[in-house]
C-alpha cells in the first residue's frame, strides 16, 4: 500500500449504531487530519494530530471521537450520529502540522458515510 | 474566520475551450494551493504559489497569485475531458483553509 488509505470506502449506519473509520498513511508523516466534505459546505477541518497528540479540535460534536494510536494510524469513532452527519470523511497527512508554505497535505480516497 | 470564495461554483464547457476560475478572500495568505479532486478520490495538490503576483504553469494550467496575496486564479487552455473534477483553492497562514470549490465538467 502507498499513500493514504481509508476503510471502509462506504458505510451506512443507523442513528443508534457505533462504527469506526480507519485511516493509515505510509508516507512517514508526522501530522494527520480528519476533514468532513458535504455538498453544501467547503471542506471542514475536524481534527488535527501531530505526533499522536491532538492539536486541534474545531468545535466538533462529541459524537465524533478521534483516536491516534501511532503516527501512521488515525481512527474516527462514530456513535449516535444524525442524518446531517452524512458526508464524505477524508483523512489527510502531511510532513508536519504547521510546516511552511509548501507543506502539502496528502489525502485518502475518503469514506462515504450515510446515516439513516 | 478566513473565507475563500470560489467562482463559478459550477462550470460546464466543451472540449477545446478555455476557462478561468477564481478564488477570492478578504484575508491575506502566506501561500495558496490549488487541489483537484476527481470522483471517488481525495484532493490532489496541483501547485503552491507563495509570492504576490507569482505565476506558475503546469502544462495547460496557469495559476496566478494576486499581488496582495488575497486572491488567485486558475486558467485552463484547450480544456480536455481529463480536466473534469472539483478544483479547490486553499489558503495557508498557520492553518490551511479550503475554498468553496468549482466543479468543472468538460464535455467531449
Amino acid at each position: 500500500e502507498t499513500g493514504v488509505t481509508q476503510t471502509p470506502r462506504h458505510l451506512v449506519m443507523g442513528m443508534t449504531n457505533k462504527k469506526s473509520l480507519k485511516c493509515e498513511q505510509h508516507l512517514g508523516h508526522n501530522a494527520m487530519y480528519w476533514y468532513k466534505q458535504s455538498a453544501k459546505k467547503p471542506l471542514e477541518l475536524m481534527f488535527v494530530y501531530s505526533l499522536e497528540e491532538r492539536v486541534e479540535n474545531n468545535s466538533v460534536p462529541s459524537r465524533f471521537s478521534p483516536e491516534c494510536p501511532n503516527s501512521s494510524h488515525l481512527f474516527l469513532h462514530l456513535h449516535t450520529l444524525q442524518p446531517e452527519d452524512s458526508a464524505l470523511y477524508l483523512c489527510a497527512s502531511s510532513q508536519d502540522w504547521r510546516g511552511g508554505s509548501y507543506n502539502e497535505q496528502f489525502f485518502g480516497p475518503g469514506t462515504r458515510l450515510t446515516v439513516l | 474566520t478566513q473565507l475563500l470564495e470560489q467562482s463559478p461554483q459550477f462550470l460546464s464547457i466543451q472540449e477545446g475551450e478555455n476557462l478561468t476560475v477564481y478564488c477570492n478572500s478578504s484575508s491575506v495568505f502566506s501561500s495558496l494551493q490549488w487541489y483537484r479532486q476527481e470522483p471517488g478520490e481525495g484532493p490532489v495538490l496541483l501547485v503552491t504559489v507563495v509570492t504576490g503576483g507569482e505565476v506558475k504553469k503546469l502544462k495547460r494550467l496557469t495559476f496566478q497569485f494576486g499581488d496582495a496575496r488575497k486572491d488567485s486564479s486558475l486558467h485552463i487552455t484547450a480544456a480536455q475531458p481529463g480536466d473534469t473534477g472539483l478544483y479547490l483553492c486553499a489558503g495557508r497562514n498557520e492553518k490551511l483553509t479550503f475554498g468553496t470549490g468549482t466543479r468543472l465538467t468538460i464535455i467531449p
Side-chain angles (χ1 to χ4, degrees):
Chain A
E1 292 280 12
T2 59
V4 180
T5 58
Q6 289 186 244
T7 55
R9 294 294 306 273
H10 300 271
L11 178 62
V12 179
M13 60 187 289
M15 290 191 287
T16 58
N17 291 158
K18 290 184 179 181
K19 296 286 184 183
S20 296
L21 309 185
K22 179 182 176 182
C23 174
E24 185 173 359
Q25 59 99 356
H26 309 267
L27 300 168
H29 288 164
N30 295 321
M32 296 188 76
Y33 310 77
W34 278 117
Y35 286 90
K36 177 183 179 182
Q37 187 175 38
S38 49
K40 297 184 178 180
K41 291 185 179 180
L43 207 59
E44 299 174 75
L45 179 63
M46 300 174 72
F47 301 103
V48 182
Y49 277 82
S50 176
L51 296 171
E52 302 148 46
E53 179 183 346
R54 190 190 309 180
V55 295
E56 191 151 330
N57 174 349
N58 279 348
S59 303
V60 179
S62 60
R63 57 186 183 269
F64 295 91
S65 175
E67 178 190 2
C68 187
N70 56 63
S71 59
S72 299
H73 293 85
L74 186 64
F75 295 89
L76 188 63
H77 303 299
L78 316 171
H79 63 98
T80 60
L81 294 192
Q82 304 298 313
E84 59 264 30
D85 296 322
S86 298
L88 182 68
Y89 288 84
L90 289 162
C91 173
S93 71
S94 65
Q95 186 60 54
D96 296 294
W97 167 42
R98 294 191 183 274
S101 295
Y102 294 96
N103 195 30
E104 176 182 356
Q105 291 191 13
F106 292 79
F107 286 84
T111 295
R112 174 69 63 186
L113 174 66
T114 302
V115 182
L116 301 176
Chain B
T1 302
Q2 299 176 330
L3 295 175
L4 281 160
E5 295 282 343
Q6 290 186 238
S7 61
Q9 187 177 357
F10 298 95
L11 182 59
S12 182
I13 64 169
Q14 293 290 135
E15 181 177 358
E17 293 184 355
N18 303 331
L19 67 107
T20 303
V21 299
Y22 300 93
C23 172
N24 294 295
S25 177
S26 58
S27 302
V28 177
F29 293 100
S30 61
S31 66
L32 194 133
Q33 296 179 327
W34 283 91
Y35 289 78
R36 179 170 65 207
Q37 183 177 13
E38 298 184 15
E41 300 295 332
V44 175
L45 180 68
L46 296 174
V47 77
T48 300
V49 285
V50 177
T51 307
E54 182 176 1
V55 176
K56 280 193 174 179
K57 291 191 174 184
L58 185 66
K59 296 183 180 178
R60 295 174 293 100
L61 278 60
T62 301
F63 305 85
Q64 183 163 8
F65 202 10
D67 291 341
R69 289 185 285 124
K70 292 182 179 181
D71 53 81
S72 181
S73 64
L74 158 59
H75 182 79
I76 301 179
T77 304
Q80 298 179 0
D83 296 327
T84 292
L86 177 66
Y87 288 79
L88 295 163
C89 64
R92 174 175 293 281
N93 284 317
E94 282 196 339
K95 299 186 295 186
L96 195 63
T97 302
F98 280 87
T100 51
T102 293
R103 192 166 296 279
L104 175 64
T105 302
I106 308 302
I107 304 166

